[in-house]
Amino acid sequence: AMIGRSTSDEPKQIYCPAIDGYMKMITQDVFGFAAFSHPFECCTNLQLSKFAKAFESIEDDILDRCLRNTLLPQNLIYSIPTKRNKMLLKNRRYLRSFLKDIIHDRLNKQHIGNNTDETTSKCDIL
């Protein structure tokens, strides 16, 4: 039998958390450059950025609320002041503030650079 094959000749699925983490870092860096021209530098530091950690925390929280204990009031009503809801709100505020700052910086650069076509094309908000 070949390595990585089961007795039914179906490939084994191997999960490697390290690869999952690296893929998140690569995705974060590509997303930062493509969407915002912002270097998150996850691959340079081999750590998720604060932005990526906040996003991942929100993602995990929403998945957990949807998959487990879906009818608990604290999972349905985000304004109930639980530790979990406070953390979700903190992460949400951070993400929105971070993205808002990037967008405002880009808009300011675009406004300043409207006098020359070269600067405007480099600062295209979309």
Side-chain angles (χ1 to χ4, degrees):
M2 295 176 63
I3 296 174
R5 297 266 180 192
S6 66
T7 55
S8 65
D9 288 333
E10 301 259 341
K12 287 184 181 179
Q13 292 187 3
I14 300 171
Y15 175 71
C16 182
I19 291 175
D20 185 45
Y22 293 136
M23 293 304 293
K24 286 181 183 180
M25 289 180 220
I26 292 167
T27 303
Q28 181 76 27
D29 282 348
V30 169
F31 176 74
F33 281 118
F36 304 111
S37 297
H38 180 80
F40 285 112
E41 298 182 350
C42 295
C43 293
T44 305
N45 302 327
L46 292 180
Q47 293 181 350
L48 288 176
S49 65
K50 185 177 178 182
F51 180 88
K53 288 177 184 176
F55 186 84
E56 184 176 44
S57 174
I58 290 173
E59 177 186 29
D60 292 344
D61 184 69
I62 290 172
L63 286 173
D64 188 59
R65 288 175 194 253
C66 292
L67 299 175
R68 297 186 322 155
N69 303 317
T70 55
L71 298 178
L72 291 175
Q74 63 268 27
N75 287 347
L76 297 172
I77 305 168
Y78 294 92
S79 61
I80 295 175
T82 63
K83 182 178 178 181
R84 182 179 189 173
N85 286 341
K86 288 177 183 179
M87 180 59 73
L88 181 75
L89 181 61
K90 177 184 171 188
N91 286 326
R92 183 174 172 259
R93 283 182 180 155
Y94 171 75
L95 291 177
R96 290 178 64 88
S97 172
F98 185 87
L99 294 174
K100 182 179 162 187
D101 290 345
I102 288 175
I103 291 169
H104 282 295
D105 287 346
R106 296 286 304 267
L107 286 172
N108 286 337
K109 286 180 184 177
Q110 185 178 26
H111 178 69
I112 291 169
N114 274 342
N115 295 337
T116 65
D117 292 335
E118 182 181 329
T119 307
T120 304
S121 66
K122 288 181 182 178
C123 296
D124 187 8
I125 191 71
L126 298 176

